[in-house]
Amino acid sequence: MAAFVRVVETGSFSAAARQLNVGQPAVSKTIAQLEGRLQVSLLIRSTHGLTPTEAGQRFYERAKAAIQEADEAELAARGAGAGLTGCLRVSAATTFARLHVIPLLPRFLERHPGLEIDVILDDRVIDLVAEGVDISLRMGVLPDSSALARRLATGGRSVFATPGYIARCGQPHSPADLVEHETIIYSQLSNVWSFRRGSTEASVTVRGRVRVSAAEGLRAAVLADMGLTVGSDWMFVPELASGEVVRVLEDWSLPPIDLWAVFPAGRMASAKARQFASFVEAALNSTYSGKA
């Protein structure tokens, strides 16, 4: 049943085999045996991949629910203090995961010695079902309002620069001054930066000679004294502590940013995913008290 569910969700034997850490022939044989036992065709094979038949779709929905129920039943039988087992697949943005998620993993794994964690690092929004992801940590506004999601933390956003850049190009004193500065633009977000100070609001359209598609590039460009950028305070925690990076226009505020735990649509969040979400939420809020 688990193999069949993975095949349906990934659309191929090879992708399912990679997620299950077995060979493709083993998955193909398992599905053939399943169809033989049920005496019904479960999959339609074409040049475009594998899709479930009508019977296959019904079996998929019941099988997925049964697997989730079995996992929950096992945890209930073993007791609330029992460790999690199996593999937890987590997706997260590269920089956020490197700074704030991966350092937490030893503590979580110590609590659950029977658990393995597969971390998928990608700044882009990926298809959770196709990738077999149990939980995705995403920041900002969720593009899919129907997604099963839970807000874990809220962080601040600031304009950042290095002391070296400010010494060379000067200190901006208002949002309007930013048009005279080199800015590093994160291509996945708007280049219109909106500020508030008391009852005053100001928006500025920035232009920069450097655009990057990942937060790691944004960090590298700032640390190379190339210009100013807007980002979450989570992005520069080590450098803010050391003084290597400073906040600019601190008397102006930017809209905060939310961190969400997003679960695959159409399925109940697994106990592993729920416990990991609670663990990350507690760790972040304990460390940063919602102000990071």
Side-chain angles (χ1 to χ4, degrees):
M1 290 171 65
F4 178 72
V5 166
R6 290 296 177 92
V7 169
V8 171
E9 292 181 344
T10 61
S12 75
F13 290 132
S14 58
R18 286 194 297 272
Q19 291 187 9
L20 294 168
N21 293 317
V22 299
Q24 180 178 334
V27 175
S28 301
K29 182 178 180 181
T30 297
I31 302 305
Q33 290 174 337
L34 180 62
E35 290 179 321
R37 184 170 66 83
L38 297 176
Q39 296 186 339
V40 65
S41 176
L42 298 174
L43 296 168
I44 300 172
R45 300 159 176 82
S46 71
T47 55
H48 300 292
L50 300 171
T51 56
T53 62
E54 183 178 349
Q57 183 63 33
R58 291 197 300 268
F59 184 79
Y60 163 74
E61 293 169 358
R62 296 293 183 91
K64 182 172 65 174
I67 292 169
Q68 292 169 347
E69 287 291 336
D71 289 343
E72 297 288 338
E74 180 180 343
L75 287 173
R78 294 167 60 207
L84 303 172
T85 60
C87 181
L88 174 69
R89 287 174 62 84
V90 179
S91 76
T94 303
T95 296
F96 183 80
R98 180 174 67 81
L99 294 174
H100 304 291
V101 178
I102 293 176
L104 297 176
L105 296 186
R107 288 166 50 195
F108 193 70
L109 290 171
E110 184 178 4
R111 295 182 187 179
H112 308 285
L115 185 69
E116 297 178 357
I117 300 181
D118 188 356
V119 184
I120 302 166
L121 302 179
D122 200 322
D123 282 13
R124 297 170 300 173
V125 175
I126 65 173
D127 187 326
L128 304 189
V129 173
E131 296 291 337
V133 171
D134 298 296
I135 177 173
S136 177
L137 301 177
R138 296 180 183 169
M139 283 187 287
V141 179
L142 298 180
D144 182 2
S145 59
S146 66
L148 177 60
R150 168 180 159 192
R151 182 165 49 218
L152 301 183
T154 299
R157 295 170 70 238
S158 305
V159 180
F160 300 102
T162 58
Y165 172 82
I166 293 173
R168 188 178 79 246
C169 300
Q171 174 89 33
H173 298 288
S174 71
D177 292 343
L178 294 174
V179 298
E180 304 298 329
H181 282 264
E182 286 292 333
T183 55
I184 304 149
I185 299 173
Y186 188 33
S187 58
Q188 297 196 43
L189 298 177
S190 171
N191 65 332
V192 179
W193 298 353
S194 298
F195 298 83
R196 176 186 290 273
R197 185 174 63 183
S199 59
T200 303
E201 297 183 358
S203 293
V204 57
T205 301
V206 298
R207 290 178 172 80
R209 298 168 62 194
V210 176
R211 301 176 66 92
V212 296
S213 61
E216 281 294 280
L218 205 65
R219 279 174 46 85
V222 170
L223 294 173
D225 301 335
M226 294 177 65
L228 306 158
T229 198
V230 158
S232 75
D233 291 355
W234 283 312
M235 186 183 298
F236 288 102
V237 165
E239 291 78 17
L240 286 169
S242 68
E244 192 176 358
V245 166
V246 296
R247 292 183 177 91
V248 177
L249 299 177
E250 289 193 84
D251 53 340
W252 291 84
S253 64
L254 288 148
I257 189 166
D258 292 324
L259 173 69
W260 299 86
V262 183
F263 307 98
R267 73 166 74 161
M268 180 177 62
S270 68
K272 289 178 286 192
R274 293 199 310 271
Q275 288 199 35
F276 186 74
S278 296
F279 174 78
V280 171
E281 179 180 25
L284 287 178
N285 287 310
S286 172
T287 302
Y288 303 115
S289 301
K291 298 178 182 180

